[in-house]
């Protein structure tokens, strides 16, 4: 097979931006060099001043197929990913029917995904009451780890677990070495808060915010730290919103507790004070909190107390967002942003002094590490040639018509963002190029743990 060489003045190699070329053979980075070493090669693609970075890895995506494909599906979600520079995503085990809580359901999902993927996709398995006996089989079949909820998930097929179920599952996970991702809100503080706001106006954002207090996150995380220690289990807090929990997590990690944490672009972008009544496109759980909380999350991310950023892309049919009456308490909780994570995070990050290397750590290397994706997450000889070529100085206004998600409702609509994705390569193949999808077939693969 022939060698493709691409080059630019700004390639992110080992945490530094430098002029470089990348030689790609059989979808793998075969060599990296400086311009002077580049002899006469037939096939050079020169990206000039554009920036070349490892393709993004998003470990928190809800695709909902099969079963709720009218919410989002493999074909639409992975095209949105490609257009956003995301080359690998790991799909959440719920919202599809069946949920990925049995080996049988995992096989169904894999079969459904085949042939539809524009980018590489792996799967998390789910932990629900009564499925402990499935966990080992799921892990051997290729899920990358597991996810559970401590509060109702929003769909009946994926029930929440409590401490008793975790005490049953964690010895198994610890024995097989699998990570557990946890939606970290405890039900008791939420139930109490919901009682307190039951007569408040459901169109007001403050009503929703008050119904999901920080204490439910803080107490859940305290419990997870305790359980991680007791069972020597690897735990991961998904979509951290309450900045109060950062100090607690930092202390635990310093003392060797195996716990990691992600936050999402929306917690780093929006602030409760700015959310208008009825703007249910901004509803998610845990909720977007105050401006001061956002700044604390940024501080934690910049200092490394938060490991990385994942989207929690979780769309639904627009009518379920209750935009007509703006009822925050009834609307589906979930924010669509898979295609926008790079510009959304970069826009805020560069105002706070972050560098491109930070962006790659938060959106590529960090999530790749969580999932154990050894072939992804950096531009390194021997790894997959997954690359995003983008312009960090160009700005654009988000236009729903240019989004490839199944449903276009997103709180980023109309927002001015910095950072335009130009071209995306998956294993050396151009899968997105300035509004076009040049790949002749669906170039993405189903990834299984151990093979990826
Ligand atoms: Zn989620």
């Amino acid at each position: 097979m022939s060698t493709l060489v691409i080059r630019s003045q700004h390639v992110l190699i080992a945490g530094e931006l430098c002029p470089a070329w990348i030689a790609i053979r059989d979808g793998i980075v075969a060599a990296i060099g400086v311009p002077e070493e580049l002899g006469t090669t037939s096939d050079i693609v020169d990206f000039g001043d554009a920036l070349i970075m490892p393709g993004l890895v998003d470990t928190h995506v809800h695709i909902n197929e099969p079963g709720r494909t009218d919410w989002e599906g493999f074909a639409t979600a992975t095209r949105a990913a490609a257009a956003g520079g995301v080359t690998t995503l790991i799909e959440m085990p719920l919202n599809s029917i069946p949920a990925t809580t049995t080996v049988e359901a995992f096989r169904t999902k894999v079969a459904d995904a085949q042939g539809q993927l524009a980018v590489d996709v792996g799967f998390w398995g789910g932990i629900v009451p009564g499925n402990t006996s499935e966990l080992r089989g799921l892990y051997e079949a290729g899920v990358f780890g597991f996810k559970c909820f401590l509060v109702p998930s929003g769909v009946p097929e994926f029930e929440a677990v409590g401490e008793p179920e975790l005490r049953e599952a964690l010895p198994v996970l610890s024995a097989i070495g699998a990570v557990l991702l946890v939606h970290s809100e405890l039900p008791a503080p939420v139930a109490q808060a919901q009682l307190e706001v039951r007569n408040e106006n459901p169109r007001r954002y403050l009503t929703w915010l008050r119904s999901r207090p920080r204490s439910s996150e803080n107490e859940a995380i305290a419990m997870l730290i305790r359980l991680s220690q007791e069972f020597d289990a690897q735990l991961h807090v998904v979509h951290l919103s309450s900045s109060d929990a950062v100090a607690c997590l930092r202390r635990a990690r310093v003392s060797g507790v195996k716990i990691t944490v992600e936050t999402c672009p929306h917690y780093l972008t929006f602030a409760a004070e700015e959310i208008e009544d009825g703007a249910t496109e901004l509803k998610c759980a845990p909720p977007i909190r105050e401006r001061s909380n956002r700044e604390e999350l940024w501080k934690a991310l910049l200092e490394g107390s938060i490991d990385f950023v994942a989207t929690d892309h979780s769309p639904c049919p627009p009518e379920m967002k209750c935009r007509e009456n703006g009822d925050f308490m009834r609307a589906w909780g979930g924010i669509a942003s898979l295609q926008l994570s790079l510009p959304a995070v970069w826009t805020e990050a560069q105002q706070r002094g972050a560098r491109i290397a930070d962006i790659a750590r938060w959106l590529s290397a960090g999530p790749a590490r969580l999932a154990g994706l050894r072939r992804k997450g950096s531009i390194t000889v021997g790894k997959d040639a997954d690359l995003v070529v983008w312009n960090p100085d160009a700005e654009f206004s988000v236009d729903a018509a240019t989004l490839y998600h199944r449903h276009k409702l997103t709180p980023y609509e109309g927002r001015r963002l910095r950072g335009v994705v130009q071209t995306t390569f998956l294993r050396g193949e151009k899968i997105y190029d300035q509004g076009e999808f040049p790949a002749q077939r669906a170039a993405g693969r189903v990834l299984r743990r151990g093979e990826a």
Side-chain angles (χ1 to χ4, degrees):
M1 198 176 165
S2 66
T3 301
L4 167 70
V5 177
I6 68 171
R7 69 173 174 192
S8 110
Q9 294 305 305
H10 310 282
V11 185
L12 189 71
I13 309 281
E16 297 294 334
L17 281 177
C18 51
W21 52 263
I22 304 164
I24 301 165
R25 201 175 306 128
D26 298 330
I28 291 167
V29 176
I32 299 167
V34 293
E36 300 78 61
E37 299 166 359
L38 191 58
T40 46
T41 312
S42 54
D43 206 0
I44 301 177
V45 184
D46 192 342
F47 284 102
D49 263 342
L51 199 156
I52 303 180
M53 212 172 72
L56 311 190
V57 176
D58 193 339
T59 48
H60 196 148
V61 180
H62 296 270
I63 293 184
N64 312 339
E65 180 170 2
R68 288 193 181 88
T69 311
D70 52 326
W71 293 23
E72 181 69 287
F74 288 116
T76 45
T78 59
R79 277 166 78 90
V86 179
T87 46
T88 303
L89 54 87
I90 311 287
E91 208 256 350
M92 280 297 170
L94 69 155
N95 297 355
S96 58
I97 306 172
T100 321
T101 51
T102 64
V103 174
E104 188 58 37
F106 174 63
R107 294 210 178 101
T108 302
K109 199 170 253 202
V110 168
D112 219 278
Q114 301 285 10
Q116 294 207 68
L117 306 178
V119 304
D120 285 355
V121 174
F123 298 96
W124 299 115
I127 293 184
V128 291
N131 83 328
T132 307
S133 63
E134 293 281 342
L135 305 183
R136 199 177 281 270
L138 273 165
Y139 203 54
E140 282 166 5
V143 302
F144 283 84
F146 295 89
K147 160 86 180 284
C148 71
F149 273 70
L150 304 176
V151 285
S153 72
V155 293
E157 328 75 50
F158 202 93
E159 282 180 69
V161 296
E163 188 167 339
E165 289 87 1
L166 286 176
R167 290 186 161 276
E168 197 182 304
L170 287 176
V172 178
L173 300 190
S174 181
I176 61 180
V179 63
L180 175 60
L181 285 63
V182 186
H183 179 120
S184 309
E185 288 181 293
L186 281 188
V190 171
Q192 175 62 32
Q194 281 173 344
L195 260 182
E196 284 164 18
V197 303
R198 69 188 182 285
N199 296 322
E200 303 287 329
N201 180 355
R203 276 183 55 80
R204 290 195 64 204
Y205 184 71
L206 192 59
T207 305
W208 170 244
L209 177 60
R210 284 182 53 208
S211 77
R212 307 296 284 221
R214 294 171 185 236
S215 57
S216 70
E217 281 191 79
N218 304 342
E219 290 171 27
I221 289 166
M223 178 183 85
L224 296 177
I225 289 169
R226 178 163 55 76
L227 291 174
S228 171
Q229 257 171 326
E230 185 178 335
F231 292 97
D232 191 31
Q234 180 79 51
L235 299 184
H236 177 74
V237 174
V238 293
H239 51 49
L240 179 74
S241 168
S242 167
S243 64
D244 294 354
V246 168
C248 195
L249 282 163
R250 191 191 300 119
R251 271 197 307 277
R253 286 149 61 111
V254 166
S255 70
V257 178
K258 295 194 282 189
I259 193 161
T260 52
V261 54
E262 76 193 26
T263 190
C264 306
H266 38 274
Y267 301 124
L268 297 167
T269 301
F270 302 101
E273 294 91 332
E274 296 156 16
I275 300 178
E276 288 174 19
D277 290 353
T280 51
E281 65 275 17
L282 282 151
K283 176 180 174 177
C284 58
I288 292 163
R289 303 189 189 278
E290 303 78 1
R291 198 177 287 125
S292 56
N293 184 78
R294 177 185 68 193
E295 296 313 311
E296 289 299 317
L297 290 177
W298 267 111
K299 229 167 80 187
L301 186 62
L302 286 162
E303 73 181 21
S305 299
I306 293 175
D307 296 273
F308 64 85
V309 181
T311 61
D312 193 8
H313 175 73
S314 185
C316 64
E319 55 276 16
M320 288 180 66
K321 274 299 204 180
C322 304
R323 288 293 280 120
E324 70 295 346
N325 58 18
D327 188 333
F328 274 105
M329 303 310 280
R330 288 183 192 281
W332 173 259
I335 288 180
S337 63
L338 179 56
Q339 194 178 323
L340 297 170
S341 56
L342 179 57
V345 174
W346 174 236
T347 300
E348 299 293 319
Q350 52 105 34
Q351 293 170 23
R352 293 169 176 84
R355 303 177 318 133
I356 296 294
D358 298 318
I359 298 295
R361 192 157 45 82
W362 299 333
L363 295 175
S364 297
R369 191 176 314 116
L370 173 77
L373 291 161
R374 295 185 305 271
R375 308 177 57 83
K376 311 286 189 185
S378 67
I379 302 174
T380 305
V381 173
K383 288 199 182 193
D384 287 349
D386 296 350
L387 308 166
V388 53
V389 183
W390 63 295
N391 182 342
D393 300 317
E395 292 190 359
F396 69 106
S397 293
V398 177
D399 172 3
T402 64
L403 299 177
Y404 298 95
H405 314 145
R406 170 145 297 154
H407 301 294
K408 319 298 180 192
L409 184 67
T410 172
Y412 293 95
E413 168 81 56
R415 208 172 170 90
R416 196 85 188 141
L417 295 181
R418 176 171 282 219
V420 172
V421 173
Q422 181 182 329
T423 307
T424 308
F425 289 89
L426 176 68
R427 279 179 269 102
E429 184 172 355
K430 200 182 276 185
I431 55 166
Y432 174 79
D433 193 26
Q434 302 178 81
E436 307 282 327
F437 296 87
Q440 291 301 307
R441 57 194 168 78
R445 291 180 187 160
V446 170
L447 302 178
R448 287 183 178 78
R449 184 189 60 84
E451 299 168 3

